[in-house]
Structures are given as structure tokens and as C-alpha cells.
Amino acid sequence: MESSWQRPKPCETISSYSLGKVSELMILDHQCGVLVHKRCLQNLEYRKAQQLFSKHMKLHGPKTLNPYFRDEGIDFFYLSKNDIFLVAATASPPVEEPLASIIFLDILKRLYDILKNCVGAVNEAYITVNKMLVFEILDEMTIFGYSFASSYNEVKPFLTLEPVKPKIAKQDDIASRFFGINVGDGTKTHTASSESKPKTPNSAYINIVEGVSAIFGPMGEMCSSELWGKLTLISNLDRPSPISIELNPDLIIKDSVSSLGRVAGSIYIETPSFHSCVDSSQLAKHKTLFVLPPSGQTRLMVYTLSDPSCISIPIILIPTLADIKDSKDKNLKLRLINQAESHAVASYVQIKVQLPEMVVSTFTSSSGEEGQSSHYESEERLLEWDVKKMSGRSEHVINSRLKTQGDVELYLSDIGPITLTFNLTQFSASGLVVKKAKVEVKNSSMTATEPAPQCFFGMSTKAVSYTVRTDSQTNVPSPVT
């Protein structure tokens, strides 16, 4: 009996689901707060995937939640590593179409390996201080939702940032950064004092820390912004005692998908999640949280804010490019403006300007304030400007003479992007503050000579991703200086 070999039929189509096309990649902290979020495609409602994943994680916990699950037309894949979650989300395929789960989990495993080889450790501390670098890695790993990079060596040549090792502060150092404290009968009211108080025995330290991501146009106009925040507490109480924390009386818990407009004078937060030690039943009506904190540091609440109209932008940067009389060189002027109140002090302000290849050298002069420095990295074509300290309601100016080669005209749109980092104390971009905090102690449990427990609190805002885009500037003739 003769048999003949026949060529197998070719595969006519391969679906995007079989190739592991990802809609969103997220790195979340242990309470499902967003550390890094990349929308590879625009086919999912904004923040919906993060909210659904958070709901399932709180319902089941990491020990019982399946690494793959589906809800409301979204497929989720995740890996739990240390104190973070690596999450991939994609729009669910039609019922009859198969889904290659192993491919999506492999993408997350490769992401973990690349992050580990790049930043050294994959945990919340390292991801937080290297957010911009992680964004770069995600950009290089995925193109239109498909992942091509398999190792750090493939991604490394395209990265512009270097990894940073986080500085883990001791509790004494953390406590010494809290400001605005009046100590009396155990009930503390908010104040704008800039005096720092050292850590004291039998005390509780409450802090609001917010991170802002924003994109600006060349005239300082805000194109988009979002915010994440956390309310933390460090307990140094002699004995476990409940603490009542009173927030803004005009606080509104806003649904991020709501179309309701902003009420003038109100303070907004979105999608708050709470530690198990927090009773939030009185938050909506009385704006009060009741806490029975464990010793040490606890993250009481995590929240977000995606409505730009509800976010106060503290610092802006306005670049201008002008002709220099009787010269082919250009003058790049950067105006750094701290719009916050005078008591809000920005520290460790750093500006990085990406210059085009046509710029061969720079000469920089600042406005003369102390604590400023600037330098030019010729190999990377980066102009860097550092300001050690900047008070609210103040402005700094830096001028850089850019020497160009050839006859090609240099426009402002050729420069950039411009990135800005800072840490601003005594300011919250959402407006959220602790109005009062009190340790509820029964008199019978205290001796006559024992001092009443004290509460200290403060707030700060930092730039997570602050970018000025000059490429929207039309190529109009430059003014002459």
C-alpha cells in the first residue's frame, strides 16, 4: 500500500489573543494602589481594570485569587511578587476564540526578570523611586500591545535613565519631617507652621503623601494630570488606643467615572481603599476615620484623583527660545514658578532638558539665587538644572545660550521633552488635609503623672511624572534678545 506525503494546510490567520496582545500593564502596591500604569491600547475604560482587579483581590486575597480570571469583559493575569502585583489586562475575546493564558503570564514573568536585572529588586520601594525608568522599560517592552523584549540586554540600549537605590529612612527621620503641629490637650488642629518637631514618646504621626503626574504645553498650560495619594500613620503609643482622624469638612468621595461637575470649594478624592484597622463608616457623612493602629508604620488609606479640574498644580515651568542679536545662537529661558503658598517649600528640584543634535554647546547662567547649579551632559545632550530649595510664591529663571551648527533653524519644538522632579512640603495637590487627630484614651487607664498621648501630622506632594511638551509649539520666528 503506497502512501504519499501531503503538505499541511497553512495557518491562514492568527488572532491577537493567541499572540498575547495586552491592553494594559500595571504595577500595583499591596493595597492595589497604582505605582505604574501603561495603557498599551485604548480599548478599555480608564481605570476600570485597576478597580476590578482591586475588588477581586480584596474579596479573595492573593493566596486564593486565581492568576487568571475574567470579569466584565476583561481578562486579568497577575503575578504576586514581594509587596507588589504585576498585572496584565486585555479585552476578552469572543466566546469561541481560545485564549493563550501562558503567553500573558510569560509576559509578566519576563517583565519581572527585566525589572530585577535593571533596578536590582522588585518591590514597592524600588519601583517608587524608579517610576520613570519603569515607564521606559514598559515602553520598550510593548509595541501596540505586543511584547517583543525577552531580556534586559535587549531593552538596555534604549533606556535614558539610570536606576536609583531608595533611601529607607528610619522612623526617627520620618517623624522629623512632619510640620504644622500644635501640642496641647491631645487634639491637634492644622496649621501652616514650618517648624519641625522631633519624635516624642507615646505619640502618633499622621502624614498625607501625594504624587502628581502631569503633562504641560509650552506656555505652561496643563494638558493632562492625575494624582495618587496615601494617608500613613506611625504609631509610637505606649498602649494600643483608637485614634479619630478628622479630614476636610467639604471632602467629597468622587466616582472616577462620574460626569458630575466640580462643586466650588470642595475637596475630592477617588476610589479610596483602607487598611483593615480603619473604620471608614463615618467618612462620607462626618469626614472622620477611626483607627486602631498596630505599632510601627501603617498605610491607612490609598486614593486616586483623575479629574484635572480637582488637582492643584503647585509648580510650573515655562520655556521660551529667543534669537540673540548679531548671532546665530539662541537663548533658552526657563521660568520655574512655585505657585503654592509661601510656607510650602519645594526641595530637590531638578529640571532636565533634552537638546537636539544641532546644539553643539551651551553656556548657562541662573538668576543668581544660592543653592542652584547647572551642567550639560554632552554625550546624552541633557541640560540639567538643580535647585536645592524654593519657597512658595517665588520664581527662578535660568538662561542658556545654545550654540548650533549648520544653517538649520532651531525652534522651541526641537527641544524637549523637559522633565521636572521636586518634593513639596506643607502642600497637598488634592487639598486633602488632617484637620484634627485625637487619641481616644480612657482616663482610668492613665496614671496621674502620665502625659497624654500626642498626635502630629503633615503633608507633602512630589512629582511622579512631570513633563513639558514643546512639540505642540508651532515654528514661529523667535523674539530677539
Side-chain angles (χ1 to χ4, degrees):
M1 181 176 180
E2 295 182 359
S3 62
S4 59
W5 178 84
Q6 293 183 352
R7 183 181 299 276
K9 293 182 179 181
C11 180
E12 296 180 355
T13 60
I14 300 178
S15 71
S16 60
Y17 302 99
S18 300
L19 294 175
K21 193 173 186 179
V22 178
S23 298
E24 295 184 8
L25 284 172
M26 298 176 286
I27 302 179
L28 310 178
D29 61 26
H30 68 287
Q31 289 186 326
C32 297
V34 176
L35 297 176
V36 180
H37 183 198
K38 175 175 172 58
R39 302 185 74 193
C40 307
L41 308 174
Q42 303 296 319
N43 59 348
L44 296 181
E45 186 179 326
Y46 181 70
R47 292 289 191 188
K48 181 178 180 180
Q50 183 262 338
Q51 294 171 9
L52 287 176
F53 181 84
S54 176
K55 180 187 74 173
H56 282 270
M57 184 57 65
K58 292 175 182 177
L59 183 63
H60 301 285
K63 293 184 179 180
T64 58
L65 183 61
N66 196 293
Y68 159 67
F69 63 92
R70 177 178 294 178
D71 188 20
E72 295 189 23
I74 302 177
D75 286 286
F76 293 90
F77 309 84
Y78 82 95
L79 295 179
S80 178
K81 297 292 184 180
N82 301 321
D83 56 350
I84 65 171
F85 299 108
L86 304 179
V87 185
T90 188
S92 300
V95 176
E96 66 276 4
E97 194 161 352
L99 188 71
S101 303
I102 191 64
I103 293 181
F104 291 91
L105 294 174
D106 178 67
I107 292 173
L108 296 177
K109 179 60 169 61
R110 282 187 281 137
L111 172 60
Y112 172 78
D113 292 338
I114 291 173
L115 291 175
K116 185 176 181 180
N117 291 331
C118 180
V119 302
V122 186
N123 56 38
E124 183 179 348
Y126 277 79
I127 295 297
T128 299
V129 300
N130 290 283
K131 282 188 176 182
M132 293 303 297
L133 176 58
V134 175
F135 275 121
E136 283 192 320
I137 292 174
L138 292 178
D139 284 337
E140 297 301 331
M141 272 197 66
T142 56
I143 301 176
F144 299 112
Y146 293 108
S147 176
F148 296 98
S150 298
S151 67
Y152 175 53
N153 291 334
E154 295 178 63
V155 177
K156 185 178 179 180
F158 304 99
L159 302 179
T160 61
L161 299 174
E162 293 294 330
V164 177
K165 185 177 180 180
K167 295 180 179 179
I168 307 300
K170 299 178 181 178
Q171 286 194 6
D172 288 348
D173 299 329
I174 296 173
S176 66
R177 297 201 306 265
F178 290 98
F179 305 99
I181 304 158
N182 288 329
V183 181
D185 60 356
T187 301
K188 309 296 170 272
T189 56
H190 177 71
T191 175
S193 170
S194 60
E195 273 186 52
S196 65
K197 299 291 183 180
K199 184 177 177 182
T200 59
N202 197 24
S203 59
Y205 295 84
I206 306 169
N207 196 23
I208 294 174
V209 178
E210 295 185 339
V212 176
S213 297
I215 299 178
F216 300 87
M219 302 302 295
E221 69 277 18
M222 185 174 64
C223 302
S224 64
S225 66
E226 61 178 344
L227 173 151
W228 63 265
K230 59 183 179 181
L231 176 68
T232 63
L233 182 145
I234 300 175
S235 176
N236 190 38
L237 299 175
D238 293 341
R239 59 176 63 88
S241 301
I243 302 175
S244 62
I245 302 174
E246 185 178 330
L247 303 176
N248 307 61
D250 52 357
L251 176 64
I252 296 177
I253 310 299
K254 183 177 180 182
D255 183 356
S256 60
V257 299
S258 173
S259 59
L260 295 176
R262 180 179 180 182
V263 178
S266 296
I267 304 301
Y268 292 85
I269 61 173
E270 297 171 0
T271 60
S273 59
F274 304 94
H275 190 273
S276 58
C277 71
V278 178
D279 178 3
S280 60
S281 59
Q282 298 299 312
L283 177 60
K285 186 175 182 180
H286 299 290
K287 320 305 178 188
T288 302
L289 298 173
F290 294 97
V291 183
L292 184 60
S295 60
Q297 183 169 352
T298 306
R299 184 177 301 178
L300 302 179
M301 178 177 70
V302 177
Y303 56 92
T304 61
L305 192 54
S306 58
D307 187 347
S309 66
C310 301
I311 301 174
S312 299
I313 297 298
I315 294 180
I316 61 173
L317 180 71
I318 302 177
T320 56
L321 189 68
D323 293 327
I324 298 178
K325 189 175 182 180
D326 301 327
S327 175
K328 293 174 58 179
D329 299 347
K330 298 282 188 177
N331 181 69
L332 176 63
K333 178 182 178 181
L334 302 177
R335 291 180 58 205
L336 180 67
I337 305 172
N338 187 348
Q339 304 180 116
E341 296 295 331
S342 57
H343 62 265
V345 179
S347 58
Y348 304 105
V349 183
Q350 185 178 69
I351 299 169
K352 292 186 178 182
V353 185
Q354 185 69 58
L355 298 178
E357 293 184 358
M358 67 180 74
V359 177
V360 294
S361 64
T362 68
F363 176 76
T364 303
S365 61
S366 64
S367 53
E369 292 84 354
E370 295 183 359
Q372 295 188 26
S373 62
S374 61
H375 63 280
Y376 177 58
E377 296 287 348
S378 57
E379 293 185 0
E380 300 178 357
R381 301 193 305 278
L382 272 179
L383 174 62
E384 298 185 5
W385 181 30
D386 297 315
V387 179
K388 189 174 181 181
K389 189 176 182 181
M390 183 180 185
S391 300
R393 297 285 189 255
S394 66
E395 176 178 334
H396 291 339
V397 177
I398 185 174
N399 289 280
S400 295
R401 181 166 183 152
L402 308 181
K403 183 176 179 60
T404 59
Q405 62 180 354
D407 297 327
V408 180
E409 183 73 11
L410 176 64
Y411 296 100
L412 183 60
S413 58
D414 300 320
I415 297 172
I418 304 174
T419 60
L420 176 64
T421 58
F422 61 83
N423 185 64
L424 188 65
T425 57
Q426 283 305 286
F427 180 89
S428 67
S430 67
L432 183 70
V433 297
V434 176
K435 289 295 184 178
K436 293 182 181 179
K438 184 177 182 180
V439 181
E440 307 289 347
V441 180
K442 296 181 179 179
N443 294 332
S444 58
S445 64
M446 295 180 58
T447 64
T449 59
E450 185 178 356
Q454 300 176 355
C455 288
F456 304 90
F457 48 85
M459 55 189 174
S460 64
T461 296
K462 60 183 178 181
V464 177
S465 175
Y466 230 72
T467 306
V468 179
R469 300 292 301 269
T470 60
D471 50 10
S472 60
Q473 176 83 1
T474 55
N475 290 336
V476 296
S478 303
V480 179
T481 59

